[in-house]
């Protein structure tokens, strides 16, 4: 029996596919699911056989339809705060995972679902996916990073429009405003996400990891400090066998064979 009640996991030749699996509740995130996510992120961090992670939702209708409203509705202030701290910690951990994480958004990405996909590195969405932050319809603010990651992705004005109105947008609009990075027909979503994963896996793994850190850290720094950080990261590459191999392969007009060392 799987050690996870609400997640499915498959390692497809180095691509770790995590599927949120509560289809009856449109994959809404209850506390148990968030705790399982916490656990699997730790496992993925340690598992060298997983090179790239894909997160998706089970079924055709929904990626994640938000936090579980049924479970959340009777929380008091302290319980709500603890729930927020738990989930924020998990989303931050996912964002900081030292491997690329692709969201394959197969349907509704609402509230905590949109916040989950925003905590991933790259977002590939089904043309049938729908996005929104409906929290203000429930009398709450987003609490899993939505008020912070959304403006960083789509700009302040567009973020406020989505947050204040709670309007749902379709995949084409999400792509237009930069909320997702790639679209695919619904039946080709996983193929598209895996193709992207394979391309990333063919590149220098340390360089990819350092790019992730440089973007994530730099975006929250002033430009001068961020460029300085980029210098440090760039210099570090020259301590790796991958840099030697990448440049040697170029000179020898062959494909590089990276070891991640
Ligand atoms: N939670 C629990 N159950 C949900 C759910 C959710 N978020 N979304 C859907 N379901 C359940 C429905 O209750 C229904 O269950 P049954 O009635 O069959 O038992 C089943 O999934 C199918 O849903 P529908 O019958 O509603 O399906 P429709 O096709 O008619 O509609 C829909 C699909 C996605 C438009 C609709 O289900 C919907 O509007 N869902 C709610 C979307 C939503 O408002 N999501 C945002 C949740 S709020 C914080 C903690 C958390 C948060 C913020 C702060 N802190 C502690 C700081 C985050 C909040 C949110 O994410």
């Amino acid at each position: 029996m799987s050690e996870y009640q609400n997640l499915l996991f498959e390692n497809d030749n180095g691509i770790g596919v995590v599927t949120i699996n509560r289809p009856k509740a449109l994959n809404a995130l209850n506390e148990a699911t968030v705790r399982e996510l916490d656990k699997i992120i730790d496992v993925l961090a340690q598992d060298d056989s997983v090179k790239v992670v894909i997160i998706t939702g089970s079924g055709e209708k929904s990626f994640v339809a938000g936090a579980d409203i049924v479970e959340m509705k009777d929380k008091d202030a302290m319980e709500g705060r603890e729930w927020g701290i738990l989930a924020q910690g998990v989303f931050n951990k996912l964002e900081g995972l030292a491997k690329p994480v692709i969201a394959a958004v197969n349907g509704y990405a609402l509230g905590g679902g949109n916040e989950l996909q925003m905590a991933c590195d790259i977002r590939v969405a089904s043309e049938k996916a729908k996005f929104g932050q409906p929290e203000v319809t429930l009398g709450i603010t987003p609490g899993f990073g939505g008020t912070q990651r959304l403006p960083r992705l789509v700009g302040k004005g567009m973020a406020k429009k989505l947050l204040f109105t709670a309007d749902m947008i379709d995949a084409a609009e999400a792509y237009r405003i930069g909320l997702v990075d790639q679209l695919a027909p619904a039946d080709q979503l996983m193929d598209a996400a895996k193709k992207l994963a394979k391309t990333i896996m063919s590149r220098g793994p340390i360089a990819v990891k350092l790019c992730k850190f440089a973007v994530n850290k730099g975006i929250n720094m002033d430009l001068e400090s961020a460029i300085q950080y980029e210098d440090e990261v760039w210099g570090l590459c020259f301590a790796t066998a991958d840099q030697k191999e990448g440049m040697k392969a170029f000179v020898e007009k062959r494909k590089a064979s990276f070891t991640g060392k």
Side-chain angles (χ1 to χ4, degrees), residues 45 51 80 82 100 131-132 164-165 170 179 189 197 236 253:
K51 310 294 184 195
E82 278 164 27
F131 301 81
F164 295 179
T165 64
D170 64 18
L179 182 56
L189 175 67
L236 199 57
K253 300 191 186 304

Side-chain angles (χ1 to χ4, degrees), residues 24-26 28 61 65-70 72 80-81 83-84 108 110-112 115 134-135 138 140-144 168:
K24 284 188 184 146
L26 302 185
K61 194 169 169 182
D68 190 317
I69 301 167
V70 179
M72 194 168 48
R81 185 168 175 273
W83 167 223
Y108 288 114
L110 301 175
E115 291 167 301
E135 283 84 350
L138 300 167
I140 58 172
T141 59
F144 298 162
M168 233 189 266

